[in-house]
Amino acid sequence: MKIILTGDRPTGKLHLGHYVGSLRERVKLQDSGEFDEIYIMIADAQALTDHAGTPATVRENILNVALDYLGVGLDPKKSTIFIQSQIPELFELTAYYMNLVTVSRLERNPTVKAEIAQKNFETSIPAGFLCYPISQAADITAFDATTVPVGEDQAPMLEQTREIVRKFNDTYGNGQEVLVEPDILLPSNNVCKRLPGLDGKAKMSKTLGNCIYLSDPADEVAKKVQTMYTDPTHIKVTDPGHIEGNVVFTYLDAFCTDTAAVNEMKEHYQRGGLGDVKVKKYLLNVLEEMLNPIRERRKQYESDPAEVMAMLKAGTAKAKEKAATVLSKVKQAMKIDYFA
Ligand code: ATP
Ligand code: MG
């Protein structure tokens, strides 16, 4: 069996980083027909681990994320889209896995470490936040997922999940592979593994506010492209420019399929004589060609939010059924299936 599980936190609308890091890949995999089951999770419970005081944000972004999914071409007939918090089985699994992980192991997770610093959690980390990699292991294993298409920031989570799976199978498996060990699937294009923000910072992220959202209107995208970080030493058009760390060129690498044209622009820019305004205009065209159909499709669904919620409800019911079968297999292995 080949099974996909992946998802996003409903802490805002989805952006270009999500698109190249995971969404574009998901749609491709979905349409390849190579997977037996595909589960796409809106991770609201995980969002609450750093948004405990602002549940309204999480609630309103459930619909935003679902609309973004439908906009990029995820198809509820092929992919089961569901809401994490409505599946208690996931929290039961999390509780059991907690006994298989040490606090120091959690504290060593480089992504969690970076996020703790970013959120000023150093002096008081919410326990739920520290443990979110365990809940991710529950999410992945609850569906027997073999494949998890995500961006590079998720690599430590996958490693943690694999450790938990091995520990679980060693401890409770009695020679059997009760839980499935998943593989991470990163985008093949290097710049897509971690798309930088408009400001040139390491990662486009909702939290950092350096994003182009999939639902941004065209004039907003144009404005954002104008503010993009380029090469501060490239002052006059005739000056030779640098393309390393130049976000405009990074985005061309991520989004433009005409590599010959991009390479020629890179050479011209480095030689001198090619202005930022021109390159940005080219990039804007590339982005608009991609974003326009996504925006249009999203708009169609926006007019009927009740239908979108009904789709999520059906997906959640289906996902719950699957998680329940895995949970019962886990409880049996752990010898806590007293009344079975
Ligand atoms: P937050 O700031 O709330 O954590 P986020 O922008 O990091 O939001 P997530 O919901 O945490 O988004 O990430 C969802 C998925 O998108 C993950 O698979 C993650 O790897 C991927 N992703 C997010 N940002 C990027 C990026 N800049 N480049 C590549 N992939 C990304
Ligand atoms: Mg994140």
Side-chain angles (χ1 to χ4, degrees), residues 15-279:
H15 53 64
L16 292 182
H18 297 119
Y19 186 70
V20 293
S22 179
L23 294 172
R24 184 162 67 180
E25 202 75 22
R26 277 180 222 177
V27 176
K28 225 188 288 163
L29 298 170
Q30 168 194 272
D31 296 338
S32 75
E34 278 175 35
F35 287 82
D36 301 290
E37 293 165 26
I38 301 176
Y39 297 93
I40 312 286
M41 179 179 78
I42 303 183
D44 62 334
Q46 192 189 119
L48 287 167
T49 65
D50 65 344
H51 284 69
T54 51
T57 305
V58 174
R59 187 183 175 104
E60 80 187 32
N61 282 303
I62 298 264
L63 189 61
N64 274 326
V65 171
L67 287 169
D68 286 330
Y69 284 170
L70 297 166
V72 298
L74 285 174
D75 175 356
K77 286 195 204 79
K78 302 179 191 160
S79 299
T80 303
I81 304 175
F82 70 96
I83 304 178
Q84 183 186 30
S85 64
Q86 304 306 298
I87 306 192
E89 285 80 358
L90 300 176
F91 304 92
E92 288 194 60
L93 288 174
T94 303
Y96 298 133
Y97 296 170
M98 280 180 149
N99 304 326
L100 307 176
V101 181
T102 64
V103 172
S104 66
R105 173 64 181 84
L106 291 168
E107 286 169 341
R108 273 203 312 275
N109 183 309
T111 299
V112 173
K113 251 193 197 163
E115 288 172 343
I116 284 171
Q118 191 194 82
K119 296 172 206 295
N120 296 316
F121 277 165
E122 284 102 333
T123 50
S124 59
I125 312 169
F129 187 81
L130 187 67
C131 294
Y132 90 73
I134 305 179
S135 96
Q136 270 187 233
D139 303 333
I140 294 167
T141 55
F143 298 93
D144 285 336
T146 53
T147 312
V148 185
V150 284
E152 194 175 55
D153 61 308
Q154 294 301 307
M157 311 307 166
L158 259 290
E159 204 34 59
Q160 176 86 75
T161 299
R162 292 163 63 90
E163 279 173 37
I164 290 172
V165 167
R166 289 195 287 261
K167 185 85 188 253
F168 186 97
N169 289 342
D170 275 355
T171 312
Y172 304 116
N174 214 351
Q176 305 276 81
E177 308 256 296
V178 182
L179 296 179
V180 177
E181 203 171 318
D183 285 314
I184 190 170
L185 185 66
L186 292 168
S188 51
N189 183 343
N190 250 331
V191 297
C192 297
K193 290 178 180 155
R194 190 185 293 259
L195 192 76
L198 296 173
D199 52 3
K201 293 235 171 74
K203 183 174 174 276
M204 180 177 280
S205 156
K206 289 170 268 183
T207 311
L208 297 173
N210 55 9
C211 310
I212 291 178
Y213 293 97
L214 295 173
S215 50
D216 276 345
D219 56 341
E220 183 77 20
V221 177
K223 249 190 262 166
K224 286 180 175 175
V225 169
Q226 266 167 37
T227 69
M228 243 176 209
Y229 182 84
T230 57
D231 170 13
T233 69
H234 185 239
I235 296 160
K236 282 182 281 168
V237 172
T238 47
D239 290 342
H242 297 86
I243 57 165
E244 305 79 31
N246 186 321
V247 180
V248 180
F249 283 101
T250 310
Y251 282 29
L252 283 174
D253 283 335
F255 296 102
C256 184
T257 45
D258 188 350
T259 27
V262 174
N263 285 338
E264 201 193 303
M265 271 189 285
K266 282 183 182 168
E267 275 165 34
H268 192 176
Y269 192 83
Q270 285 171 304
R271 229 175 26 239
L274 179 58
D276 285 324
V277 175
K278 249 195 184 153
V279 193

Side-chain angles (χ1 to χ4, degrees), residues 258-328:
D258 188 350
T259 27
V262 174
N263 285 338
E264 201 193 303
M265 271 189 285
K266 282 183 182 168
E267 275 165 34
H268 192 176
Y269 192 83
Q270 285 171 304
R271 229 175 26 239
L274 179 58
D276 285 324
V277 175
K278 249 195 184 153
V279 193
K280 284 182 171 175
K281 208 168 152 202
Y282 187 93
L283 173 66
L284 182 60
N285 278 331
V286 169
L287 291 179
E288 273 306 312
E289 222 168 274
M290 178 194 89
L291 288 172
N292 210 28
I294 296 176
R295 223 182 262 135
E296 290 304 307
R297 208 172 317 134
R298 193 185 197 277
K299 260 197 212 123
Q300 284 168 23
Y301 290 102
E302 249 168 53
S303 60
D304 197 352
E307 193 196 316
V308 179
M309 290 312 290
M311 177 278 285
L312 290 176
K313 193 174 173 192
T316 302
K318 191 172 166 202
K320 188 175 178 344
E321 245 173 66
K322 170 82 183 205
T325 63
V326 174
L327 177 64
S328 75

